[in-house]
């Protein structure tokens, strides 16, 4: 049986992980795939390092074009990252009739529509399981496993760095800055952690999942992206007292008016399985109309977990490539001519519950004023926590959990509450999802 | 585009669920699959009921042969259950060149090898996602999503009835018999619950997963099958005090000497995600050498969750059927000519940790005698709990958690402990897995 020849663009952490797993498990993988799959060519600017990592067993070049133009290569793995060179090379590989595997969530979330169109026209496959939640086969689950369902919503912990930080903040009662430094020391956060802690990475992944779930084009620019940098240890503590944990969730939901697409810190009931996903682990909870809730849990990053997804894509391609192109799994789950133009809702239009914390003067009438404002806005209160002022303090915290309401509604009420003379500073607002 | 015509054998709970979901989501499913998929013929002994359930929209017959012999039918769904008629009909459908989808775990676990061989020879696909863990796409995850991995072990809560009973026993401190009646009243347990509570159903599912994970033929007869009927509320309570929960787990593990394949009540640390899977829910934890631990959670039974898996198989077949047969996903994950004959270990040869409870006279030297026996058998003690005798009692319970050891080793030690004059009755032994 003819072996499948793979070219690798970029041999960093995931690239060398892929090379190593393919080699270590080559017999088992071939026994499943029915043919050998081998990396025969690697392009990397650091050719010396690339040669060392591949034990001199493969051709190493510093010009990626030599890989994408090589007629012997069947599949190109793109592990360069970013939107620039990576995009050019992916498009060149497609133009040359090669299938592509990529772990590049930024590329797919921003240029996926163009890339899939090119692939469709050329009759090749672009696979990207590794772009979302690392080794968890969530793309496959959404696109194939749950294909019978009308997906209603997805809520995912899809960034390990922020989940590690939030777990540590809760566990040890530490502030964000302190834990971030610790996470950097341990290698759970990068030297420049912006993409992770500001929610951009999670929003890339969420954007991809939303497209597959709802049959819409990728639209990263319309995602609401909010990270954890402003989250205070005190809110994690109050949430816990009320029976909730705070997670950075990517949430996408189908509603009558459109699709919600948002990444932000979220209170979820402590009893939910997903609330107990701690450390750098990822988990995605999916609600389908037929299957109900299913959850997928595992490592969302790292050399070999990501390699696991990259290699699964390689094997899938060897299979699907022999299928009639019209019978293949569509890139974004729905046939290109059956995609919907359902709008993405602006944040003002989304509906959820809220955690509100306000610092107030400890004097009669404050609570009456606040609850009157909420009632006038038709916002019902689900739970409340009022603390005794600390010794020598004349102010105290009031925490309220609301029932579901529209974001613009709660924003208007907050503006009124903040205008009260008895309320000090701003109201802290964190969204809350029951996921039940 | 030509629609796919499906014949349904048996329209009970899952059958009508499948009919309903296919109809309700027909547009979305067609938009994914690229063609309509419709049930055009139903065979059921109760034709009147079948006509009612399908609103008179499809041909209803009482002879299943009319479906499997119908040249217009592309795929046959077998939802009859059992090994007798179901097996004959599946083999006839295969002989007639039809693809088959089945939710019949008993059939696959006991006659899978013969069925897959027939399908292989005829070039058709037999799909069985619905046979394991209902709507959770675990077969797909194991067979395709984790294809890069050497699977090390699987531990699953794969029977909802027993998980519901165990959750209730723990939650309410009730005895098995009481909760079983409650479960029957609520519809979580059948009138004859033997297959569920004795572990047979879980062992069927585990047998199938073990084959896919390790590339061995299905060998249900070699599985160790132990249910929850003898489990006492007192052990659930003691386990909790030691930081563990008791679940009915299906465990299959690759070891140097062979493959462990066993279903039994198991202590697992309360902090593990899978320990927090409560009620009738299912979850499967898989360890792969590259990906690490991944977990898959959802409803393991019910009309529409199971229908979700059945329909996913229908769509998969429409795709894979157009692929070169040698490039399809093999029925048991590995190519038929690459299957291994790795032996299944007898229980005496398995290695795990143990919870041991003994009822002893409250007098000096008992503990010394017991610990001496364990030490002589090279069994290390990991934790111990000794209760004060109850008022007026002269006997007390000692609970020990051991480190890993071989089953035959612990059995021999138990025999010696039971022979001590100071030990009353038998020693309760429950296996313990850290899953860490």
């Amino acid at each position: 049986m003819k072996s499948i020849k793979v070219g690798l663009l970029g041999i960093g952490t995931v690239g060398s992980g892929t090379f190593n797993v393919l080699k270590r498990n080559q017999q088992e993988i071939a026994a499943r795939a029915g043919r050998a799959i081998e990396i025969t060519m690697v392009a990397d600017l650091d050719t010396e390092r690339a040669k060392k990592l591949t034990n001199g067993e493969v051709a190493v070049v510093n010009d990626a074009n030599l890989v994408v133009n090589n007629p012997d290569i069947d599949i190109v793995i793109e592990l360069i990252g970013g939107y620039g060179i990576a995009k050019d090379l992916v498009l060149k590989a497609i133009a040359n009739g090669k299938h592509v595997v990529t772990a590049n969530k930024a590329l797919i979330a921003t240029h996926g529509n163009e890339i899939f169109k090119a692939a469709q026209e050329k009759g090749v496959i672009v696979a990207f399981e590794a772009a979302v939640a690392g080794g968890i086969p969530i793309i496959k689950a959404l696109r194939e496993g749950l294909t019978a369902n009308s997906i209603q919503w997805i809520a995912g912990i899809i960034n390990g760095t922020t989940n590690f930080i939030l777990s540590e903040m809760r566990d040890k009662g530490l502030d964000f800055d302190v834990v971030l430094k610790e996470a950097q020391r341990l290698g759970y956060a990068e030297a420049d952690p912006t993409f992770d802690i500001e929610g951009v990475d999670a929003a890339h992944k969420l954007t991809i999942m939303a497209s597959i779930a709802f049959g819409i084009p990728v639209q990263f620019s319309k995602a609401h992206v909010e990270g954890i940098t402003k989250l205070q240890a005190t809110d994690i503590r109050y949430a816990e007292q009320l029976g909730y944990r705070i997670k950075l969730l990517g949430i996408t939901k189908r509603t009558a008016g459109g699709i919600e697409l948002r990444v932000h810190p979220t209170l979820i009931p402590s009893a939910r399985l997903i609330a107990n996903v701690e450390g750098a682990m990822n988990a995605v909870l999916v609600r389908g109309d037929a299957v109900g809730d299913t959850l997928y849990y595992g490592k969302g990053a790292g050399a070999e977990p990501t390699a696991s997804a990259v290699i699964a894509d390689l094997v899938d391609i060897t299979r699907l490539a022999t299928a009639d192109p019209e019978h293949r799994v569509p890139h974004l789950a729905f046939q290109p001519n059956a995609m919907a133009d359902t709008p993405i809702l602006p944040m003002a239009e989304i509906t959820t519950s809220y955690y509100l914390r306000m610092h107030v003067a400890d004097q009669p009438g404050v609570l009456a004023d606040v609850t009157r404002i909420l009632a006038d806005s038709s916002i019902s209160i689900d739970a409340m926590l009022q603390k005794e002022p600390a010794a020598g303090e004349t102010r105290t915290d009031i925490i309220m959990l609301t029932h579901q309401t529209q974001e613009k509604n709660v924003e208007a009420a907050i503006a009124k509450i903040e205008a009260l003379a008895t309320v000090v500073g701003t109201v802290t607002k964190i969204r809350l999802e029951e996921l039940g």
Side-chain angles (χ1 to χ4, degrees), chain A:
Chain A
M1 193 73 67
K2 186 174 161 291
S3 76
I4 304 291
K5 306 260 188 283
V6 179
L8 177 61
L9 308 184
I11 187 158
T13 307
V14 176
S16 58
T18 302
F19 182 83
N20 292 337
V21 173
L22 259 182
K23 196 174 159 189
R24 184 174 75 231
N25 293 343
Q26 60 184 340
Q27 268 196 303
E28 231 174 309
I29 293 168
R32 291 192 181 101
R35 64 222 72 238
I37 297 176
E38 45 179 351
I39 292 175
T40 55
M41 197 172 194
V42 172
D44 200 288
L45 292 180
D46 189 343
T47 50
E48 283 316 304
R49 194 170 153 278
K51 277 177 195 156
K52 210 172 285 172
L53 288 171
T54 53
N55 321 305
E57 295 166 13
V58 308
V60 171
V61 295
N62 73 355
D63 179 2
N65 287 296
L66 297 176
V67 174
V68 300
N69 294 330
N70 184 335
D72 293 336
I73 296 285
D74 303 301
I75 308 174
V76 171
I77 303 177
E78 182 277 303
L79 296 174
I80 295 168
Y83 325 89
I85 302 168
K87 186 186 165 195
D88 292 344
L89 289 166
V90 164
L91 290 174
K92 271 188 200 167
I94 291 169
N96 288 338
K98 298 188 192 312
H99 305 290
V100 174
V101 174
T102 177
N104 191 333
K105 55 220 73 164
L107 179 64
I108 297 297
T110 49
H111 300 287
N113 304 323
E114 179 185 349
I115 289 168
F116 299 138
K117 187 163 181 287
Q120 182 74 17
E121 286 169 4
K122 197 71 190 179
V124 297
I125 300 166
V126 176
F128 51 93
E129 181 65 79
V132 181
I136 307 171
I138 184 66
I139 297 297
K140 183 169 278 288
L142 284 172
R143 205 161 58 171
E144 303 171 38
L146 304 181
T147 199
N149 291 267
S150 180
I151 306 280
Q152 300 176 334
W153 51 257
I154 297 174
I157 296 173
I158 43 182
N159 181 271
T161 304
T162 46
N163 203 53
F164 174 83
I165 292 173
L166 293 178
S167 295
E168 290 286 293
M169 285 176 74
R170 186 181 71 85
D171 216 34
K172 303 184 177 159
L174 296 171
D175 283 326
F176 173 77
D177 295 336
V178 179
V179 180
L180 174 60
K181 286 211 180 71
E182 172 76 357
Q184 286 173 315
R185 200 181 59 78
L186 292 170
Y188 286 122
E190 300 193 41
D192 178 0
T194 315
F195 261 40
D196 292 315
I197 63 179
E198 297 293 1
V200 178
D201 175 77
H204 283 147
K205 296 167 183 166
L206 182 70
T207 297
I208 298 171
M209 289 198 289
S211 287
I212 290 173
F214 304 126
I216 53 171
V218 289
Q219 300 165 70
F220 172 68
S221 62
K222 293 186 185 155
H224 171 81
V225 186
E226 192 180 325
I228 61 166
T229 52
K230 288 175 202 136
L231 200 63
Q232 293 180 36
T234 182
D235 291 311
I236 293 176
R237 216 157 46 236
Y238 285 143
E240 184 116 47
Q241 290 169 25
L242 289 158
Y244 292 82
R245 292 200 183 162
I246 299 181
K247 296 289 183 185
L248 182 69
L249 285 192
I251 298 165
T252 185
K253 204 177 279 194
R254 191 201 297 260
T255 76
I259 286 162
E260 299 185 359
L261 186 63
R262 47 191 170 98
V263 171
H264 50 68
T266 314
L267 274 79
I268 42 182
S270 307
R272 299 273 178 271
L273 209 57
I274 194 169
N276 293 281
V277 171
E278 301 291 358
M281 302 304 283
N282 281 18
V284 181
L285 181 60
V286 184
R287 175 165 295 175
D289 69 336
V291 77
D293 293 353
T294 53
L295 179 133
Y296 308 83
Y297 163 91
K299 287 188 182 141
E304 295 211 350
T306 311
S308 173
V310 167
I311 296 167
D313 274 348
L314 292 176
V315 175
D316 260 14
I317 286 176
T318 67
R319 289 172 174 154
L320 276 180
T322 75
D324 164 12
E326 289 201 332
H327 282 76
R328 291 178 188 163
V329 182
H331 288 108
L332 289 174
F334 290 75
Q335 301 292 330
N337 61 5
M339 300 281 280
D341 56 358
T342 321
I344 307 288
L345 289 175
M347 270 311 268
E349 307 287 329
I350 71 127
T351 300
T352 187
S353 302
Y354 294 87
Y355 162 105
L356 303 175
R357 173 172 56 84
M358 50 208 86
H359 201 56
V360 302
D362 184 32
Q363 63 187 58
V366 179
L367 199 55
D369 291 342
V370 170
T371 51
R372 168 54 48 207
I373 290 171
L374 291 173
D376 287 347
S377 307
S378 301
I379 299 171
S380 313
I381 297 165
D382 186 41
M384 217 194 77
L385 186 66
Q386 180 170 358
K387 305 306 263 186
E388 297 266 314
E393 278 278 347
T394 59
R395 290 164 180 172
T396 187
D397 283 341
I398 295 178
I399 295 97
M400 289 178 176
L401 306 185
T402 78
H403 280 287
Q404 290 214 333
T405 186
Q406 261 200 337
E407 178 104 352
K408 62 182 168 200
N409 212 16
V410 91
E411 287 291 358
I414 287 173
K416 285 182 198 154
I417 292 170
E418 287 177 345
L420 291 171
T422 45
V423 171
V424 186
T426 58
V427 173
T428 298
K429 173 196 80 184
I430 308 176
R431 298 173 193 92
L432 182 156
E433 297 280 346
E434 289 294 336
L435 303 180

